[in-house]
């Protein structure tokens, strides 16, 4: 395995950092105040990069943190990130005009966000009043297109719903879906311009600093942050972030934040108190005897907190997100 590398480059007089590792092959375009163009600025970056690694952050996250231009609590001081494999124009990330953001959520604080993998559960939860929901089908089949088309048509009958299709952005565009949710790997291959032209909302998953700045670069409709707690939904290398990391992402990012991973009735209040706009829940809903009843109970719990503004506290401490991936 080749060792990770960093190199300084410039285009049209604009300096950026190229990073190549097992996890990330990308160009990081810093805020001009990071002063990457001077020898002294590059030396400061190298020193800071080593310092952040010493604090437990992986090589990639340490590079993002070291490029921050003096304020770890302002997303505008972080670099933008264009993956070298992505279907994006690198010039979009430079100091000139940025592409317009994706449309905002109709309801930015919908609360409980169920994820389902079939039309039966989708219908049940729409009937139960779901304000946001996602269809996530991980196994492709000849029936996939028909299922997505039916799901979108079904959701249109429930005006309060914000129905996202996971992964299958081409089908989401064809069906006229409300939105599409993409993981980080899907961001590398999806035609984001086509999604934007179709008027779809975009949700993006994130787990760490470099994924957050990549998500921010495309200016989505919401960003999902996690896993907050240990989860059985999928096997992942990520360390559970906990509520303090969620506080940080909510305060840092100018989008609705969805808390994901291990969410249940015991920790739902804390997620709300951190300022998240929604909490993604799978097993506690679809694993229940009656998913509709389970959803309604969880949504009532969220709404009770929502009616009490004191419960949405935000963070009183100035602490950045802790490492979420082991360096081992």
């Amino acid at each position: 395995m080749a060792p990770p590398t960093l190199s300084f480059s410039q285009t049209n007089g604009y300096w950026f950092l190229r990073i190549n590792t097992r996890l990330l092959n990308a160009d990081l375009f810093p805020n001009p105040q990071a002063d990457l163009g001077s020898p002294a600025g590059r030396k400061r970056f190298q020193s800071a990069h080593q310092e952040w690694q010493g604090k437990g952050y992986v090589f990639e996250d340490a590079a993002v943190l070291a490029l921050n231009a003096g304020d770890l609590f302002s997303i505008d001081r972080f670099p933008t990130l264009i993956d070298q494999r992505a279907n994006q124009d690198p010039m979009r990330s430079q100091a000139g005009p940025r592409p317009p953001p994706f449309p905002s959520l109709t309801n930015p604080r919908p609360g409980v966000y169920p994820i389902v993998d079939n039309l039966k559960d989708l219908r049940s939860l729409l009937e139960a009043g779901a304000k946001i929901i996602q269809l996530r089908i991980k196994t492709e089949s000849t029936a996939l297109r028909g299922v997505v088309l039916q799901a979108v048509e079904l959701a249109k009958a429930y005006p309060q719903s914000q129905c996202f299709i996971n992964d299958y952005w081409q089908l989401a565009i064809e069906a006229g879906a409300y939105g599409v949710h993409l993981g980080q790997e899907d961001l590398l291959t999806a035609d984001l311009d086509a999604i934007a032209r179709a008027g779809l909302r975009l949700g993006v998953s994130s787990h760490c600093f470099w994924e957050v700045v990549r998500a921010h670069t495309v200016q989505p409709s919401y960003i999902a942050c996690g896993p907050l707690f240990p989860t059985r939904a999928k096997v992942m290398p990520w360390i559970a972030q906990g509520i303090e990391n969620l506080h940080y992402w909510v305060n840092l990012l100018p989008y609705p934040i969805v808390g994901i991973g291990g969410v249940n009735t015991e920790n739902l209040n804390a997620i709300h108190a951190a300022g998240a706009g929604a909490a993604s829940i799978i097993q506690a809903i679809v694993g229940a005897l009656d998913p509709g009843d389970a959803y309604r109970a969880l949504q009532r719990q969220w709404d009770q907190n929502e009616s009490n503004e004191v419960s949405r506290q935000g963070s009183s401490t100035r602490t950045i997100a802790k490492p979420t991936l082991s360096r081992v």
Side-chain angles (χ1 to χ4, degrees):
M1 183 183 300
T5 62
L6 296 171
S7 59
F8 302 105
S9 301
Q10 63 172 321
T11 177
N12 297 330
Y14 192 91
W15 283 86
F16 64 95
L17 180 75
R18 177 154 291 181
I19 180 170
N20 286 283
T21 74
R22 178 177 59 88
L23 299 173
L24 183 64
N25 299 293
D27 296 332
L28 290 166
F29 293 84
N31 181 300
Q33 294 184 43
D35 190 26
L36 201 61
S38 72
R42 292 193 288 274
K43 186 175 181 179
R44 281 194 298 271
F45 163 79
Q46 291 167 335
S47 176
H49 187 233
Q50 292 178 354
E51 181 180 347
W52 284 113
Q53 289 182 86
K55 293 179 179 179
Y57 294 89
V58 294
F59 189 91
E60 298 83 359
D61 268 356
V64 169
L65 287 161
L67 279 180
N68 178 275
D71 188 350
L72 294 168
F73 299 90
S74 170
I75 189 60
D76 292 332
R77 296 298 184 93
F78 278 94
T80 54
L81 185 154
I82 297 292
D83 198 288
Q84 295 165 25
R85 300 165 292 171
N87 183 20
Q88 299 174 47
D89 178 1
M91 298 301 291
R92 289 162 61 103
S93 67
Q94 294 189 29
R98 297 183 68 186
F102 280 84
S104 300
L105 295 181
T106 308
N107 179 355
R109 297 194 55 81
V112 176
Y113 187 170
I115 297 178
V116 302
D117 63 3
N118 62 80
L119 289 173
K120 179 182 176 182
D121 285 342
L122 180 72
R123 182 185 297 275
S124 174
L125 293 167
L126 289 171
E127 291 176 349
K131 301 174 185 178
I132 188 168
I133 194 166
Q134 184 182 136
L135 178 69
R136 183 171 72 184
I137 300 175
K138 287 300 183 183
T139 303
E140 291 194 48
S141 70
T142 55
L144 175 64
R145 178 175 178 273
V147 171
V148 171
L149 293 177
Q150 289 181 67
V152 172
E153 194 61 29
L154 177 62
K156 288 178 179 178
Y158 297 86
Q160 87 286 351
S161 72
Q162 302 171 104
C163 184
F164 284 78
I165 304 300
N166 184 280
D167 288 355
Y168 302 109
W169 58 271
Q170 298 101 324
L171 290 176
I173 291 174
E174 178 186 350
Y178 178 85
V180 62
H181 181 95
L182 298 177
Q184 290 283 322
E185 288 300 313
D186 300 306
L187 279 178
L188 306 184
T189 56
D191 188 338
L192 300 181
D193 287 333
I195 296 171
R197 285 195 302 271
L200 273 63
R201 276 77 174 176
L202 175 67
V204 178
S205 300
S206 69
H207 310 86
C208 60
F209 275 98
W210 92 76
E211 290 190 349
V212 164
V213 297
R214 178 156 58 190
H216 175 59
T217 299
V218 303
Q219 302 182 92
S221 307
Y222 73 78
I223 295 180
C225 297
L228 299 181
F229 309 100
T231 176
R232 295 178 296 171
K234 60 173 75 172
V235 177
M236 295 186 292
W238 308 102
I239 301 167
Q241 298 202 39
I243 293 299
E244 282 307 309
N245 273 27
L246 181 61
H247 276 300
Y248 177 75
W249 301 128
V250 166
N251 292 328
L252 179 72
L253 295 165
Y255 314 100
I257 301 300
V258 178
I260 58 175
V263 179
N264 55 42
T265 186
E266 283 77 23
N267 52 45
L268 186 61
N269 291 353
I271 294 170
H272 181 278
S280 180
I281 302 178
I282 303 176
Q283 191 56 36
I285 293 178
V286 300
L289 290 177
D290 187 323
D293 282 349
Y295 165 79
R296 281 186 286 265
L298 288 160
Q299 187 65 43
R300 279 196 301 271
Q301 180 180 342
W302 180 276
D303 289 342
Q304 287 170 359
N305 285 311
E306 194 74 356
S307 64
N308 178 12
E309 286 298 317
V310 175
S311 70
R312 195 159 75 239
Q313 302 164 356
S315 179
S316 60
T317 60
R318 297 276 286 179
T319 304
I320 72 164
K322 64 180 183 292
T324 55
L325 190 62
S326 173
R327 293 183 60 192
V328 178

